[in-house]
């Protein structure tokens, strides 16, 4: 006869409990491996600074989307994007 578990019983049969423990261990190991892998593959943040109170003059082209930025030297290979905050 095969084992059968009903949710209101206090304990699952030993065969089902053993399989569930194995599944839980495998899922935990997979989740841990994925979390470590995703963390290792993350790119670092761009070098940026917040200069409160400093006034500076910039020249370039304003791009409206997806958020306002100023593109300095749009024809150059070393163009820099500045986020516009108001």
């Amino acid at each position: 006869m095969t084992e059968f578990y009903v949710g209101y019983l206090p304990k699952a049969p030993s065969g089902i409990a053993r399989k569930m423990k194995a599944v839980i261990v495998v899922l935990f190991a997979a989740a841990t491996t994925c979390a470590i892998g995703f963390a290792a593959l993350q790119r670092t943040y761009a070098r940026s600074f917040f200069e409160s109170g400093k006034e500076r003059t910039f020249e370039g082209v304003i791009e409206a989307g997806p958020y306002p930025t100023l593109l300095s030297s749009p024809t150059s290979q070393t163009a820099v994007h500045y986020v516009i905050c108001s």
Side-chain angles (χ1 to χ4, degrees), residues 19-68:
K19 288 178 186 175
M20 289 306 298
K21 286 177 186 177
V23 167
I24 290 170
V25 167
V26 168
L27 288 176
F28 181 76
T32 303
T33 303
C34 287
I36 291 170
F38 287 139
L41 294 175
Q42 287 285 319
R43 293 184 301 178
T44 58
Y45 288 113
R47 224 176 127 211
S48 40
F49 303 95
F50 185 76
E51 299 175 341
S52 179
K54 282 190 177 179
E55 291 188 20
R56 294 173 53 182
T57 303
F58 294 93
E59 292 183 11
V61 176
I62 293 180
E63 295 178 348
Y67 49 86

Side-chain angles (χ1 to χ4, degrees), residues 56-64 67-74 79-84:
R56 294 173 53 182
T57 303
F58 294 93
E59 292 183 11
V61 176
I62 293 180
E63 295 178 348
Y67 49 86
T69 57
L70 175 71
L71 178 62
S72 70
S73 307
V80 178
H81 286 272
Y82 293 100
V83 177
I84 299 172

